Amino acid sequence: MEFKFEFNLEPPEQCGTGEAEPVQADPERRSESVKEHRVLWEELERILEDGIVEEVEVGGCDPLCLRHLNVWAVERALSLQDGAEAGVSGAIARRSDLVSGVYEGGLKIWQCTFDLIEHLSGVDLEGRRVLDLGCGAGLLGIVALRRRASEVHFQDYNSSVIDEVTLPNVALNEDDDDEEEEEEDPPVKRRKAQASPSPRPLSRCRFFSGDWSRFGDVHGGSIKYDVILSSETLYNPDSYGDLHDTLSSLLAQDGVVYLATKSHYFGVGGGIHLFESFVKQKEVFYFQTVKVIDDGLQRCIATMSFNKAQCS
């Protein structure tokens, strides 16, 4: 599986546009309220009827078979929609993996997501309230559902990602104990999506879009998460303040944050070491790197929990 970064952290008007329409950043976008997404069954069935599903086995020694919509097919569908979110459709037209403040890369399944899924095979999530922060395809939250989390909330910056990717992917993954049929097919398979999603996994989920700077206030402080999962969200140092504040406002006192990240994001400056320094300066969380993966570009799994002084 090959991953590459085509980040665009400069204001869109400063970038070469080619023949595609330029992506216009909305200066008010980050001040908008967080939106909660309801399940619209007719729309969800339409997406699944038109979609192509991939199945991938993940999780190391305790594998799970996860289903998700094919990224290329989703991008094509969004590019043809008249009412598609402008920032997302513009980024697709420009073949940009990310445009800061406009489109935050939620259509793509990033490499570190699979690292964290494997790590979660050794984490007890049963009965926990879980947040998949910067969820994109929602695979981390789906794994939490399969691991018997009591409730899972999904958050992504872009509303189109939630409606066209996250929600359908959750619907595609049944939350049951049925044994997987043994097949000799390759681990990644493609098929047409089922037209009738099951409400069972969705009944334990809530879905939100919007910026981290407002998401920390979405529940008015009434809901805290036992576990917060986040993958490939440390690329931009400018977001560290909002991310730190969001984690501190939403994490339960005895909760744990699991982060999957590259050691360094070349060209954009972020990475685990810079974020660790930022966290330690704040003196709110205890930060620990629990796994280092030296496979090409170095990747890491880290955990965060409140300092004991903060809990007293």
Side-chain angles (χ1 to χ4, degrees):
M1 187 178 297
E2 181 181 355
F3 296 82
K4 69 175 182 177
F5 296 94
E6 295 177 3
F7 287 165
N8 176 5
L9 296 183
E10 297 298 324
E13 61 270 21
Q14 297 180 6
C15 306
T17 61
E19 296 182 357
E21 295 182 4
V23 179
Q24 299 297 327
D26 183 352
E28 300 297 325
R29 178 67 172 87
R30 289 190 177 274
S31 63
E32 290 180 357
S33 298
V34 170
K35 174 184 177 182
E36 180 165 7
H37 295 246
R38 304 297 181 183
V39 180
L40 303 176
W41 289 102
E42 290 185 1
E43 180 67 13
L44 185 56
E45 289 180 358
R46 178 196 62 79
I47 294 170
L48 295 178
E49 285 177 351
D50 296 339
I52 298 174
V53 175
E54 293 188 359
E55 295 182 354
V56 58
E57 187 175 278
V58 297
C61 60
D62 187 14
L64 296 172
C65 182
L66 301 182
R67 294 176 287 275
H68 63 85
L69 291 178
N70 173 269
V71 175
W72 176 86
V74 172
E75 290 182 346
R76 184 176 183 277
L78 283 172
S79 68
L80 297 174
Q81 284 185 16
D82 293 334
E85 189 175 354
V88 176
S89 57
I92 293 171
R94 296 168 55 149
R95 296 180 175 85
S96 296
D97 286 337
L98 184 147
V99 182
S100 183
V102 178
Y103 163 64
E104 297 290 349
L107 295 178
K108 186 171 182 178
I109 301 176
W110 299 94
Q111 189 173 13
C112 290
T113 297
F114 296 104
D115 297 332
L116 186 49
I117 288 174
E118 183 173 351
H119 184 76
L120 290 176
S121 64
V123 176
D124 182 12
L125 297 176
E126 185 171 355
R128 306 295 181 89
R129 177 183 286 142
V130 176
L131 170 64
D132 186 347
L133 188 67
C135 61
L139 297 190
L140 295 175
I142 291 168
V143 167
L145 288 168
R146 299 284 291 274
R147 303 290 188 199
R148 304 299 184 190
S150 62
E151 186 176 358
V152 178
H153 293 182
F154 297 82
Q155 179 275 340
D156 196 86
Y157 183 79
N158 295 102
S159 61
S160 292
V161 171
I162 294 293
D163 289 335
E164 302 288 335
V165 182
T166 316
L167 260 163
N169 284 350
V170 174
L172 284 168
N173 287 269
E174 296 287 346
D175 184 21
D176 56 32
D177 293 323
D178 292 342
E179 294 183 359
E180 299 288 343
E181 293 182 4
E182 295 184 3
E183 301 182 22
E184 297 181 357
D185 294 339
V188 176
K189 298 171 287 184
R190 297 185 181 186
R191 59 177 173 81
K192 291 294 290 182
Q194 295 178 354
S196 299
S198 166
R200 284 185 296 168
L202 292 169
S203 66
R204 293 187 285 136
C205 301
R206 294 175 69 180
F207 301 85
F208 303 89
S209 63
D211 189 70
W212 287 332
S213 62
R214 301 299 298 273
F215 187 68
D217 301 326
V218 69
H219 306 301
S222 62
I223 293 182
K224 303 291 184 180
Y225 296 97
D226 303 305
V227 176
I228 298 178
L229 309 172
S230 194
S231 174
E232 305 266 20
T233 49
L234 303 185
Y235 51 84
N236 185 2
D238 292 340
S239 70
Y240 286 178
D242 287 342
L243 177 57
H244 183 278
D245 291 347
T246 299
L247 296 175
S248 62
S249 65
L250 294 178
L251 187 67
Q253 285 297 322
D254 58 350
V256 181
V257 179
Y258 292 88
L259 298 171
T261 178
K262 291 184 171 58
S263 294
H264 182 74
Y265 290 87
F266 295 97
V268 288
I272 190 170
H273 304 299
L274 188 61
F275 186 66
E276 181 179 9
S277 298
F278 182 92
V279 170
K280 288 183 175 180
Q281 289 177 3
K282 294 289 187 178
E283 299 183 340
V284 174
F285 290 104
Y286 172 68
F287 188 101
Q288 182 180 18
T289 299
V290 296
K291 187 175 183 178
V292 177
I293 302 144
D294 283 310
D295 179 12
L297 190 60
Q298 190 180 79
R299 310 187 303 278
C300 304
I301 305 292
T303 61
M304 294 171 61
S305 56
F306 284 115
N307 284 325
K308 293 182 179 180
Q310 296 291 325
C311 299
S312 60

